[in-house]
Amino acid sequence: LNNGLMEHIINKCTTAHFIEHEVVGFAGSQTARGMPASTLGGMAHIYRREGLRGIYSGLSPTLVMAIPATVMYFTAYDELKYRFSPFFGEMWAAPIAGITARMFASTVTSPLELIRTLSQAGEHGGGLGGHATGGGGLVATARTIVRQGGVFGLWRGLEPTLWRDVPFSGVYWLALEQGKVALEERYPSENPLAPTARAFVAGAGGGPAVGV
């Protein structure tokens, strides 16, 4: 809910990430107020109000979070899969490595994600649990979180993130790796680009299938 599109549709300070009780009935009230009710409608609404640049508003801080999280995730997956294979076999090493890597990456980046989210919300009049984050950037936001919820308050929201991402990661990597094996058996090729093509097809098919 914090990329350039969704932050225009749903105000950050009303999301379930840190104010759960305000979410119920929110979508209906937004529709009643004439707010867009679909992704395409939201994009059109933003484009009319702010132009093309508005659609990509918030992209920079999103990349600041996404790049290190992705690097840690995939690096951990490759290393763990290599180390787990002798113990669990090639088939089960993939989902176990995916689950472990996702837990590691999410735990490390969760405080940064929360600080970034609340810092941006504070710029628009939001805050933590209905209280102001104090402004002044990321450091001030982090201090406010620690003051209100202690050090472990920095990991607020980690549990639902893990409940969402960890099962998906396990099933996704299992589907991806088994899909690559099946494609290699069905369409063997010596072309140097064949492994890349198989990974692309398996990933493109596995992601939506697991998401459903």
Side-chain angles (χ1 to χ4, degrees), residues 145-200:
I145 296 172
V146 173
R147 184 171 62 251
Q148 295 181 1
V151 174
F152 289 104
L154 293 170
W155 279 269
R156 184 176 185 181
L158 175 61
E159 182 179 353
T161 299
L162 293 178
W163 276 110
R164 179 196 65 191
D165 292 347
V166 168
F168 176 87
S169 295
V171 179
Y172 171 76
W173 285 111
L174 177 62
L176 173 66
E177 297 295 348
Q178 291 305 302
K180 288 164 57 178
V181 171
L183 288 172
E184 185 175 9
E185 293 176 351
R186 187 175 180 84
Y187 305 104
S189 174
E190 299 297 330
N191 191 308
L193 295 179
T196 302
R198 286 193 290 265
F200 176 82

Side-chain angles (χ1 to χ4, degrees), residues 66 69-74 76-77 80 94-110 158 161-170 172-173:
T70 303
V71 169
M72 283 189 289
Y73 178 43
F74 283 98
Y77 170 76
L80 291 171
I96 295 173
I99 289 172
T100 308
R102 174 55 69 187
M103 292 177 64
F104 167 72
S106 296
T107 301
V108 171
T109 60
S110 181
L158 175 61
T161 299
L162 293 178
W163 276 110
R164 179 196 65 191
D165 292 347
V166 168
F168 176 87
S169 295
Y172 171 76
W173 285 111

